Amino acid sequence: MDEQHTHRPGDIRRQGDAPAPTHDTTQTFGHDSDLSFVPFGSELSDAEMEAIEALPGSAALFIVRSGPTAGARYLLDTDVTTVGRHPDADIFFDDVTVSRRHAEITRVDGGFEIVDQRSLNGTYVNGERVDRATLSNGAEVRIGKFRLNFFVSPADLVSVADA
C-alpha cells in the first residue's frame, strides 16, 4: 500500500536543526578550487620560442599551457578575436567550464586587451578575475580550465622599449 506523506509543521527543518555534515560534499563548477596563480615562467620549448620570434608586428600569440588542448597555439592578428565554447568562436574551447561566448581579445593602441563577456566562470589574468584587462607580454590568462600564456611580437617589444 502506498503511503502519502502529508507535510506537518514539525516536518520542516530549520537551518539550526539540521545535523552538521561530517564532510564537505560541495563540488565546485569550473575548478574554482584551483584559482591560484602559478606562473609558468620560461618553460617554453624551442618550437614555441621560434613561433614567438616569428610573430609579425602588431600580432600576438596565445599558447595553451594546461587544459585539454595543452600545447596549442593561437595567433592573434585581427582587431577582435572571440573565445568560447561556441563552434564559431575564433578560439574554440570545447569544455563545459567555458561559456559559449566567454571573452574577446581586442587590439587597442598597439596592444591587446581581454574583455570578459559575462561568462559564468569568469576570465582571469595573472590570477585575478577581470572584466577587462590589458594583456602584457607573458601574462597568464585563465578561461575555464584552460591556462594560456600571452606573448606579443618581439618587433612590438623593441618599439615599446625605443619609445
Side-chain angles (χ1 to χ4, degrees):
M1 176 182 233
D2 290 320
E3 290 184 21
Q4 286 187 325
H5 181 75
T6 57
H7 293 284
R8 292 172 289 205
D11 290 341
I12 299 173
R13 286 186 178 224
R14 292 177 186 81
Q15 186 175 0
D17 296 341
T22 56
H23 63 284
D24 185 9
T25 58
T26 304
Q27 293 187 357
T28 58
F29 181 74
H31 303 278
D32 288 337
S33 62
D34 179 28
L35 294 180
S36 60
F37 169 59
V38 181
F40 285 96
S42 59
E43 303 168 15
L44 297 173
S45 70
D46 290 340
E48 290 168 336
M49 290 298 294
E50 289 172 14
I52 294 166
E53 290 167 9
L55 284 171
S58 299
L61 186 70
F62 263 142
I63 299 176
V64 181
R65 303 306 297 230
S66 69
T69 59
R73 296 184 293 231
Y74 297 97
L75 180 64
L76 305 173
D77 63 350
T78 59
D79 289 336
V80 177
T81 303
T82 59
V83 182
R85 191 169 36 91
H86 192 281
D88 291 338
D90 298 315
I91 299 176
F92 173 60
F93 290 143
D94 189 15
D95 190 87
V96 296
T97 63
V98 177
S99 294
R100 290 175 58 78
R101 288 173 177 75
H102 199 100
E104 285 184 351
I105 296 97
T106 56
R107 187 167 32 197
V108 288
D109 299 326
F112 288 86
E113 186 175 76
I114 191 163
V115 180
D116 185 79
Q117 299 297 301
R118 299 188 306 184
S119 64
L120 179 63
N121 290 320
T123 300
Y124 294 79
V125 176
N126 294 332
E128 291 186 35
R129 188 170 182 158
V130 298
D131 290 327
R132 174 184 298 265
T134 299
L135 295 173
S136 59
N137 193 47
E140 181 187 281
V141 175
R142 183 176 178 148
I143 295 173
K145 65 176 157 184
F146 296 84
R147 293 170 76 171
L148 310 96
N149 279 122
F150 172 82
F151 298 97
V152 297
S153 167
D156 294 337
L157 287 176
V158 170
S159 65
V160 169
D162 292 341

